[in-house]
Amino acid sequence: MANAGQRGGARAENNRVLGAGAAEKSGLCLMLDLAERRPPPRADVTLVFHARGECGFDASELRVVMAKDAELRGADFALVLKPTDNKLQLGSGGSTHATLAFAGRTAHSGLPGAGVNAIHKFARVLSQLAAFEPVPDVVDGLTWYETMSATSAQGGRAGSVVPDQLEVNVHHTFGPSTDSHTSQERLMALVDRVGAVRFEELSEPAPPNRSHALIAALEQSGVQGVEARQTWTEVASFTALQIPAANFGPGAERTMHAQNEVTELPELERAQTILDRWFASMK
């Protein structure tokens, strides 16, 4: 399934797979490989396939699967096969999407002082967003960064009309030390009575759980490093159910949602080897 912003068709070039979903869906290749090869059963493994994994907890179909499958809710551990460049990425960043709404009054834009410009009301907020520097959040030796970005805007009527409305989506991401309630407070403070805030999506973060035995074993199975998962993933959904979880996969993380996502074929093979070692280490 293609992701937003992608137009490239799937293809193999120079030992790489490129195109829509080539990084995001590389974990599916590992899951299908596990189903076909059936490695020595050192664990009772359940493969979970679902849609809308990039949309936060409320919109992800994993929520529906969890609600219907009591066995899944009782799992001992979950490995979320996200693009990580074969690094072990622990925890999950939190995510809040909010619509900032600014109201004005229409008038002819050529008449000085006529009307109230809703887009100009946003100017002070925009300057704060543009100046926002990532704030580090260190948990269990891993560093997350708080970010705040305007990602879309809609407003205005015509070229000679003062706009009476503007809506801007702002995406706030944050580490495990912050929660959704605090995120909402920060976004409301950002607007500070100049406009209104409507919260569209609230996804809680998850801590790294670095000392868990299966996470430690995966770290020793040849992963390319250990780091914080900056963006929200289903790890947070499992953590909310008290199920330890981690992120891992061969896709190139920096190409997620790009027009041409990338997975290097040698990295796909390396991920297969890492998982085999991990399963072999289980007792």
Side-chain angles (χ1 to χ4, degrees):
M1 182 177 69
N3 290 312
Q6 296 178 328
R7 294 189 295 273
R11 61 202 185 278
E13 294 178 0
N14 301 321
N15 226 17
R16 301 185 299 168
V17 178
L18 302 96
E24 284 275 13
K25 312 310 177 189
S26 61
L28 296 180
C29 297
L30 297 179
M31 296 172 73
L32 294 172
D33 177 66
L34 283 172
E36 292 176 355
R37 291 192 301 118
R38 297 181 180 273
R42 298 175 182 272
D44 180 8
V45 179
T46 299
L47 303 179
V48 181
F49 299 84
H50 68 91
R52 300 179 62 82
E54 71 280 4
C55 298
F57 178 70
D58 288 339
S60 171
E61 289 189 4
L62 178 62
R63 178 175 59 87
V64 179
V65 176
M66 285 179 163
K68 294 183 176 181
D69 192 335
E71 183 179 355
L72 179 60
R73 297 196 301 273
D76 296 316
F77 186 80
L79 185 62
V80 178
L81 294 172
K82 289 289 189 181
T84 71
D85 300 283
N86 280 334
K87 297 175 183 177
L88 178 58
Q89 293 186 342
L90 301 184
S92 170
S95 173
T96 299
H97 282 278
T99 297
L100 310 187
F102 302 87
R105 187 177 69 254
T106 59
H108 194 291
S109 58
L111 299 177
V116 177
N117 194 310
I119 294 176
H120 291 179
K121 276 190 172 184
F122 175 58
R124 180 177 60 79
V125 177
L126 179 60
S127 67
Q128 293 183 68
L129 289 171
F132 192 96
E133 295 288 340
V135 180
D137 177 17
V138 180
V139 179
D140 204 6
L142 303 175
T143 303
W144 280 260
Y145 291 93
E146 178 183 2
T147 68
M148 198 175 291
S149 303
T151 57
S152 66
Q154 186 174 16
R157 295 177 178 271
S160 60
V161 179
V162 173
D164 63 339
Q165 56 83 30
L166 174 69
E167 288 194 342
V168 180
N169 185 84
V170 172
H171 187 202
H172 183 214
T173 67
F174 45 92
S177 297
T178 302
D179 58 20
S180 290
H181 178 72
T182 303
S183 173
Q184 291 176 77
E185 289 182 334
R186 290 178 183 172
L187 285 163
M188 287 187 291
L190 175 72
V191 174
D192 190 25
R193 297 185 299 277
V194 175
V197 183
R198 183 173 71 250
F199 295 104
E200 309 290 355
E201 176 196 302
L202 301 170
S203 298
E204 297 288 353
N209 212 352
R210 196 171 188 177
S211 62
H212 191 277
L214 288 174
I215 290 178
L218 186 54
E219 183 175 352
Q220 298 302 315
S221 297
V223 298
Q224 302 301 294
V226 181
E227 62 186 21
R229 178 70 184 197
Q230 300 296 327
T231 57
W232 186 90
T233 75
E234 295 87 344
V235 161
S237 301
F238 287 104
T239 299
L241 293 175
Q242 306 301 311
I243 300 171
N247 305 280
F248 170 77
E253 184 183 14
R254 286 287 184 180
T255 68
M256 289 192 307
H257 298 186
Q259 290 185 16
N260 283 300
E261 294 190 11
V262 176
T263 294
E264 304 280 348
L265 290 178
E267 292 302 314
L268 188 61
E269 295 170 357
R270 181 176 296 170
Q272 182 186 62
T273 300
I274 291 169
L275 289 183
D276 285 348
R277 288 174 183 162
W278 184 52
F279 281 114
S281 73
M282 297 180 188
K283 298 179 180 179

